[in-house]
Amino acid sequence: MKKSELKSIIKECVKEILFEEGVLSNLVAEVAFGITRAQNTIVETKTAPQEIRKPKVDKALVAEKQEEKRKRLLETKRKMLDAIGNSKMANVFEGTEPLRQGGATNETPAQNPMAGRDPNDAGVDISGLFSVAGQKWNALK
């Protein structure tokens, strides 16, 4: 028996079982029944979000703790200023100038139009530009 003959015999047997004995129609009916039954039972329900219950805290106690913490911080600051001397901190930055360029020395320089310019440079005064070319400018509008 050849392979093609065996194939055709098997194909014929499968067709006979599926169509003539009703196996295929029973299978389709059961799947359809299961789908409709599943559609009826699936129901979406939304649950209300549960409230998070916080332990009741006495507001006066919380305020008292915050005030105590603030007082400790102020006391620490006062002790530090007394240790270094208040007068020593006066005019700490007197005589200093702003940096021309910030960053680490091993970095590449910034790529912007103002790189390498003095931050105190006033630039070019263009206030008289319109008095010189004002009429021509108005003609261009």
Side-chain angles (χ1 to χ4, degrees):
M1 183 180 279
K2 293 182 180 179
K3 188 176 181 181
S4 60
E5 291 175 355
L6 182 62
K7 226 180 198 183
S8 64
I9 293 172
I10 292 175
K11 198 182 266 187
E12 190 177 316
C13 290
V14 169
K15 280 184 184 179
E16 184 179 325
I17 290 172
L18 289 178
F19 294 115
E20 292 177 9
E21 294 184 14
V23 173
L24 181 64
S25 60
N26 288 341
L27 180 68
V28 171
E30 286 182 29
V31 169
F33 177 73
I35 289 174
T36 56
R37 188 171 182 196
Q39 286 177 345
N40 291 338
T41 58
I42 296 176
V43 178
E44 182 179 345
T45 58
K46 293 185 179 180
T47 58
Q50 296 178 347
E51 292 182 23
I52 299 173
R53 294 182 181 172
K54 296 180 182 176
K56 293 184 178 182
V57 180
D58 188 16
K59 290 182 180 180
L61 182 63
V62 171
E64 184 179 317
K65 285 184 179 181
Q66 287 177 343
E67 182 64 23
E68 182 180 323
K69 187 176 180 180
R70 188 184 69 80
K71 283 181 181 179
R72 278 187 280 143
L73 180 65
L74 289 174
E75 181 65 23
T76 305
K77 285 182 181 179
R78 187 189 60 75
K79 285 181 182 178
M80 289 178 67
L81 285 174
D82 288 344
I84 62 171
N86 286 336
S87 61
K88 292 180 183 175
M89 291 302 291
N91 300 326
V92 164
F93 298 106
E94 186 176 342
T96 60
E97 294 179 14
L99 291 174
R100 294 188 193 282
Q101 184 177 348
T105 56
N106 60 355
E107 291 180 3
T108 58
Q111 299 295 323
N112 66 46
M114 299 304 290
R117 302 284 185 225
D118 184 9
N120 294 324
D121 185 9
V124 178
D125 182 18
I126 61 169
S127 61
L129 185 64
F130 290 108
S131 64
V132 173
Q135 299 302 325
K136 292 179 184 177
W137 184 258
N138 287 332
L140 290 174
K141 287 184 182 180

